[in-house]
Amino acid sequence: MASETTRPYIIYRPPPGWGFWSNFSCVLQGLDYADREKLEPVVDMERHPTRYSEEEPVHGVTNAWEYYFHQPGILSLAEALAQNPLDNGGDVSGPFTSNFHHVIPPADILARARELVRKYIRLKSHIVERLDAVIPVDAGRDMLGVHVRGTDMRKHRPPYHPAPNIPETYLEQAILLDQEFSYSRIFLACDEQETVALFQGQFRDRLLTLPAHRTSVDLVEIPREWSYAWLFDGERHHHRYLLGLEVLLDALLLSRCGHFACGASNVSQAAMYFASEKQIVHPITPLWMCPCVDRPSIGRAYLAEALPLSRKPSASVLEGQMHELYDLLEYAENSRHDAHQNMADMSRALTKADKRIQKYQQEIETLRQQIQKQTATIELLKNRISSLINRWTRLGWNLMPWKKPSWRSHPYK
């Protein structure tokens, strides 16, 4: 039980959340607040499920956080709910959830994240066993970890997210770094099938990857599927849980590599949060900041502050990058065209709606005038009826027996 002076603090993200490590950054934001305010943190992904939540229990638990991690404190969710807890109200804004555009987080954010991870993040034992079976602790010092972000970030290009570099850039940088540092193995974490084939062609038996669900980039096409059915609607038993497990293992294995080549993503930042300060990071600079069709571009300003590539790219890789930028430009132009078309369609729809509103207003005004006339007619009739009633009352009164003179002279005859 928590002490009497330590109040529970429930951390959650409004359902369904987003990616695994994006959800983790929200938890980290809540842990930062709880730690500063001396509260007892509890993560709730049971009443507030994520995209990785299953309909049935996994390992006997229904809280998706507890599929992979122990609760950060000493309280279970049930115990916390019984103690009049505070909560974050679903507010996940803060430095840990807003720095995903950096390849390497700012030094103060990185240091604080590592502090929180060491203090509060406790992996389930079966996760640790899986990690140790692939790269034991301290066994990856002479290994290069590479994280290549693709799929939706290359095809859907969500606004104000970094557009990742092409896989050929990652491969060439890995080759140049390997020539310089002579790594024992190359561990690759990626979400595209084509990227695995690309690296296998170069590193062969020295390449280490986990068996995981990966998508062909051709299956991730426009129009956008913000439901991410292409990713989450798998046929595997506990497919959503396994997706979370796979990206968790990828990031934690990357954290055990002595050298790390990566672009800007929540996965790579999570790997740095779990890594030691001795890990050397080699930036793979994003190509651009994905534009928002109804706002000014910030791509040039973003690249001006971005870290440069670790090694100079070749002409063939630069050509590939140019083609990727051409695709991005075409996508931006088409998106702006679609936005303008939608605005034109909306403008026409609003014009029609205005005409209908004006028509209805005229009809309402006509009805109002008719009601006024009918009201006036009713008042006139009421007055006439009242006058007739008064006249008939006076007439009836005058016809009464006591109104006759003979009755007044001899009332009892």
Side-chain angles (χ1 to χ4, degrees):
M1 298 292 289
S3 67
E4 295 182 359
T5 58
T6 305
R7 193 170 180 183
Y9 181 70
I10 295 179
I11 303 166
Y12 70 92
R13 185 179 195 177
W18 280 103
F20 184 92
W21 289 109
S22 174
N23 295 337
F24 182 87
S25 68
C26 297
V27 172
L28 208 60
Q29 192 62 56
L31 291 175
D32 180 59
Y33 178 83
D35 186 67
R36 296 180 188 278
E37 298 297 321
K38 310 300 182 187
L39 299 171
E40 185 69 20
V42 180
V43 181
D44 184 1
M45 293 183 180
E46 180 176 340
R47 299 181 305 158
H48 308 278
T50 73
R51 298 175 189 271
Y52 301 88
S53 299
E54 296 284 356
E55 294 182 357
E56 58 186 28
V58 176
H59 301 306
V61 298
T62 53
N63 188 337
W65 175 259
E66 296 176 11
Y67 295 170
Y68 318 99
F69 306 98
H70 294 286
Q71 285 291 349
I74 59 176
L75 293 178
S76 68
L77 177 60
E79 291 171 336
L81 292 173
Q83 298 185 35
N84 188 28
L86 299 171
D87 64 54
N88 66 342
D91 182 7
V92 296
S93 58
F96 295 105
T97 57
S98 60
N99 74 96
F100 57 85
H101 55 284
H102 294 287
V103 176
I104 302 176
D108 58 332
I109 299 299
L110 181 57
R112 177 60 173 164
R114 286 172 171 168
E115 178 186 355
L116 293 171
V117 165
R118 291 164 185 166
K119 183 174 182 179
Y120 290 107
I121 303 303
R122 297 182 295 133
L123 294 166
K124 292 291 184 75
S125 58
H126 69 279
I127 304 292
V128 177
E129 291 172 1
R130 294 281 296 271
L131 294 171
D132 290 341
V134 181
I135 303 178
V137 177
D138 295 331
R141 293 177 180 177
D142 61 346
M143 293 178 60
L144 172 66
V146 182
H147 176 243
V148 183
R149 186 68 168 92
T151 59
D152 57 318
M153 288 298 161
R154 291 185 63 196
K155 287 292 185 176
H156 290 175
R157 302 180 176 99
Y160 292 153
H161 280 66
N165 219 306
I166 58 176
E168 290 77 7
T169 302
Y170 288 86
L171 175 62
E172 183 178 71
Q173 293 292 301
I175 293 172
L176 294 173
L177 291 169
D178 184 41
Q179 291 173 354
E180 182 176 348
F181 295 100
S182 300
Y183 300 115
S184 62
R185 302 291 296 274
I186 311 295
F187 175 70
L188 173 66
C190 65
D191 50 6
E192 290 181 4
Q193 297 170 358
E194 293 85 351
T195 303
V196 175
L198 184 68
F199 273 72
Q200 281 179 337
Q202 174 65 36
F203 295 108
R204 302 187 183 280
D205 293 340
R206 294 173 58 216
L207 183 69
L208 177 63
T209 61
L210 291 180
H213 174 85
R214 294 184 177 89
T215 306
S216 172
V217 69
D218 293 332
L219 298 180
V220 187
E221 282 294 347
I222 302 169
R224 301 182 182 92
E225 296 180 22
W226 289 117
S227 65
Y228 281 74
W230 55 270
L231 176 61
F232 288 99
D233 291 350
E235 297 181 355
R236 297 183 298 177
H237 181 61
H238 285 166
H239 174 70
R240 292 172 179 256
Y241 156 72
L242 291 174
L243 287 177
L245 176 63
E246 289 158 1
V247 73
L248 169 65
L249 293 174
D250 271 348
L252 296 183
L253 289 172
L254 289 170
S255 74
R256 294 188 174 190
C257 296
H259 288 231
F260 182 28
C262 64
S265 78
N266 285 307
V267 177
S268 58
Q269 288 194 0
M272 296 178 212
Y273 294 161
F274 282 84
S276 73
E277 290 77 2
K278 295 181 180 179
Q279 185 184 67
I280 300 173
V281 178
H282 304 280
I284 308 294
T285 313
L287 293 176
W288 199 252
M289 179 66 76
C290 293
C292 184
V293 295
D294 57 351
R295 296 182 185 178
S297 171
I298 60 172
R300 186 179 296 275
Y302 171 70
L303 288 184
E305 297 180 356
L307 296 171
L309 280 172
S310 295
R311 302 296 182 270
K312 185 177 179 180
S314 65
S316 61
V317 166
L318 286 174
E319 184 178 358
Q321 293 177 0
M322 288 301 299
H323 284 295
E324 189 81 0
L325 286 171
Y326 292 155
D327 289 342
L328 177 59
L329 178 59
E330 182 180 39
Y331 171 84
E333 290 176 344
N334 289 335
S335 296
R336 290 187 185 277
H337 172 269
D338 293 343
H340 287 305
Q341 185 64 42
N342 291 337
M343 290 177 63
D345 293 342
M346 187 177 296
S347 178
R348 286 191 290 269
L350 288 173
T351 300
K352 291 181 180 180
D354 286 339
K355 291 181 179 179
R356 289 181 180 179
I357 291 172
Q358 291 175 2
K359 179 182 177 181
Y360 293 150
Q361 287 176 338
Q362 291 173 355
E363 292 177 354
I364 290 171
E365 179 62 23
T366 300
L367 289 173
R368 188 182 65 81
Q369 293 174 0
Q370 292 176 354
I371 291 172
Q372 287 178 344
K373 290 180 180 179
Q374 292 176 357
T375 302
T377 302
I378 291 171
E379 286 297 323
L380 179 61
L381 290 173
K382 286 172 60 178
N383 292 334
R384 288 182 178 180
I385 292 171
S386 178
S387 177
L388 288 172
I389 291 174
N390 289 336
R391 289 180 181 180
W392 280 106
T393 300
R394 287 195 296 272
L395 178 61
W397 180 265
N398 290 332
L399 292 176
M400 289 296 140
W402 56 78
K403 298 292 289 183
K404 296 179 180 180
S406 60
W407 189 87
R408 289 196 299 270
S409 301
H410 306 283
Y412 299 107
K413 289 185 179 182

